[in-house]
Amino acid sequence: MPKEHLLALDQGTSSSRAIVFHASGRIVALAQREFTQHFPQPGWVEHDADEIWATQLAVAREALAASGLGATDIAAIGIANQRETTVLWRRDTGRPVHRAIVWQDRRTEPMCAQLRAQGLADAVRERTGLVVDPYFSGTKVRWLLDAVPGAHLAAAQGELAFGTVDSWLLWQLTGGGVHATDVSNASRTMLFDIRHNRWDHELLAALHVPDSVLPQVFPSSHVYGHTTLFGAPIPVAGIAGDQQAALFGQAGFAPGLVKNTYGTGCFMLMHTGGRFEPSRHGLVTTAAAQTGAAPEYALEGSVFIGGAVVQWLRDGLRAIEKSADVERLAAGVPDSGGVVFVPAFAGLGAPYWDAAARGAIVGLTRGSTVAHVARAALDSIAFQSAALLQAMAADAAAAGGELPRELRVDGGACVNDLLMQVQADLIGIPVVRPRVTETTALGAAYLAGLAAGVYASRDEIGAQWAEERRFEPAIGRDEAAARMAAWEKAVRQARAG
C-alpha cells in the first residue's frame, strides 16, 4: 500500500513543533515545545542550536507516538523553519561554535551601515532582492567568523559549516551526511543571487565569507537525504522558509496569489511568477518555494508588530486579561472614534523601513475609552497589512503582472473575525480563511510529499485547499481611502517623533 502520511517539522522562533498530516491535509497529531530565548545585550537575540535540535527531535517523536504510526508509515519529512537565523558549526564534531544569531538580532547594523556607505545597497537589491539590513543572514555569519577565535582560519581550512536552521536540522537528521539548504532559505542570506539560483561571489567577498562554509542549494521539493532516527529510513524531501512554506500551503503557486500570516508580526507574500523584479515600493523580492529548477519569485512585506500589539494591551496597558478578550472589547464600539494607533515599538518595517519610528496613539479626545484604543490596536494590524498590499499592487502594476484578487490568511490572529472584516474593508478584496490554518507545516508536508511521489502535481495539492470563511468588503472605496489617509498621517507623526 502507498504511504499516506507525512511528518512536518515546523521550527519557529519561540518553539519547535511537529505535525503528522494525512495526505489529504488532515492533521493526525501535533506536538510542541518552547525553547530558551537568550538576550545577552540590548538588541541581541540568540538561540542555543543544540536546544533547537533537541526540542525538534523530541516533538517529532512525540507526534509520531501520538499518531500511532511508525517510521515505516511516513512517506517523507518536510522542514519549515524560522528564516535568517544563523548557525555556524564544526564539521568534525557537529557542535556549534557559538549560539545561533536570531533573525530579530540587530547587532550587525554598524556592519550594514558600512556596506551601505560602500555603495553595495544597489547590488544587493538587484541580485538578492533584499535591502541591506541586519535582518538577513550575511552579516550574522560575518560577525560569527570575526567574533569566534580561530573561526576565519578554520573556515578557510574547510572545518566549519554555515547554515540557516533548516540546514542545521538536516545535518542532524542525516548524521552529518548532508549540508544543504533550499532556494527560499538561501534567498534570505543576502549572499544568494536569486536571478540565477547561485551564491554571489562578489557579495561573499565583500562580507569575507568563504565558499567553504556554504551549503549546497536545491529546489524546495527535493529528496535531500534520509534519516534513520525514527526506527527506519525516511526521506527528508521538502524544505522551505516558514513564510514561503505558508504560501505553498495556501496553494499560492501562481502569479497574483497572496497570503498574509498574522502572528507576532505579519508576513505577506505574493507569488509573482518566474520573472525577477526588484521592488520599487519598499518591499523585498524573494525566492518562492520551488518544485523544480526554474526560479519562482514572490514579493514580501514584513510588519514587525502585528499580534504583539494585543500582547501589549494585555501586559503593558492591562486593558484585557487574555489576548482572546480583545475582540469582545473592541467590538463594544462601532469604530475607533478617530483614534489611530501606530504600534512602532520596534520601528516600522515594510514599506516604511524606519528603525527610528516609535509607537504613537493619536486622535484621543475626552470621549475616548479603552474600547476605542483596543479597536485602534486591532485596526493597526489591518492598516499595516493594507499598506503592504498597496505596495504589492503598485509593484505588480508597474511590472505588468497579476494584481491580487483575494487575500488568503493564516496565523493565530486570523481567527479574529472583527480583524478579518476590517482587513477586507480596507483592501477592497475578499479575505479568505482556509479550513486548515496550520499552513506553514502543511506547506512543508506538501513539498515533501510532492518529491516523494505522494502527490502527482501541484494541481493535486491545490485542489485540496478549501476555505472556511470569506470576508467581503463592506464599505465603499472612498471611505477606505479616507481611513488609509488617516493612518498614513499618523505614521508620519510616529516617524517625526
Side-chain angles (χ1 to χ4, degrees), residues 264 302-306 308-310 312 340-350 352-362 376-377 380-381 383-384 487 490-497:
T264 301
S302 302
V303 168
F304 294 158
I305 301 294
V309 72
V310 177
W312 180 82
V340 183
F341 190 162
V342 183
F345 302 148
L348 289 169
Y352 309 105
W353 293 107
D354 188 345
R358 288 296 175 262
I361 301 176
V362 302
S380 75
I381 303 172
F383 278 129
Q384 292 177 97
W487 162 256
V491 167
R492 289 193 294 272
Q493 292 174 269
R495 299 180 73 178

Side-chain angles (χ1 to χ4, degrees), residues 181-387:
T181 189
D182 90 300
V183 290
S184 71
N185 279 293
S187 77
R188 312 299 294 187
T189 63
M190 218 168 72
L191 301 170
F192 190 72
D193 183 343
I194 65 172
R195 301 166 305 167
H196 303 104
N197 274 1
R198 66 190 181 202
W199 297 110
D200 188 285
H201 291 285
E202 183 178 337
L203 295 176
L204 287 165
L207 279 164
H208 304 289
V209 176
D211 292 0
S212 59
V213 302
L214 300 174
Q216 286 184 278
V217 183
F218 295 103
S220 311
S221 183
H222 172 81
V223 178
Y224 291 82
H226 291 75
T227 183
T228 58
L229 294 177
F230 304 102
I234 307 174
V236 181
I239 293 177
D242 52 9
Q243 301 309 320
Q244 286 96 333
L247 181 64
F248 201 85
Q250 289 272 32
F253 319 135
L257 282 167
V258 56
K259 72 90 191 173
N260 197 27
T261 298
Y262 297 82
T264 301
C266 296
F267 297 88
M268 186 180 291
L269 272 74
M270 180 173 74
H271 203 289
T272 56
R275 188 171 69 176
F276 173 74
E277 291 284 350
S279 174
R280 306 300 176 187
H281 296 87
L283 307 175
V284 300
T285 305
T286 195
Q290 293 177 199
T291 57
E296 297 182 54
Y297 302 106
L299 286 171
E300 177 174 336
S302 302
V303 168
F304 294 158
I305 301 294
V309 72
V310 177
Q311 296 170 342
W312 180 82
L313 286 176
R314 181 193 66 198
D315 303 332
L317 202 59
R318 300 191 183 278
I320 52 177
E321 288 189 9
K322 53 185 185 296
S323 296
D325 294 339
V326 69
E327 184 171 9
R328 176 190 53 77
L329 178 60
V333 291
D335 53 47
S336 69
V339 177
V340 183
F341 190 162
V342 183
F345 302 148
L348 289 169
Y352 309 105
W353 293 107
D354 188 345
R358 288 296 175 262
I361 301 176
V362 302
L364 293 169
T365 68
R366 283 289 298 273
S368 300
T369 68
V370 69
H372 291 106
V373 174
R375 180 62 181 262
L378 275 189
D379 288 351
S380 75
I381 303 172
F383 278 129
Q384 292 177 97
S385 297

Side-chain angles (χ1 to χ4, degrees), residues 462-494:
Q464 293 190 171
W465 185 91
E467 70 177 63
E468 180 265 328
R469 181 166 174 182
R470 178 175 292 256
F471 299 84
E472 297 283 351
I475 65 173
R477 301 318 302 146
D478 288 345
E479 182 179 349
R483 291 186 184 180
M484 287 301 299
W487 162 256
E488 293 294 347
K489 180 181 178 181
V491 167
R492 289 193 294 272
Q493 292 174 269

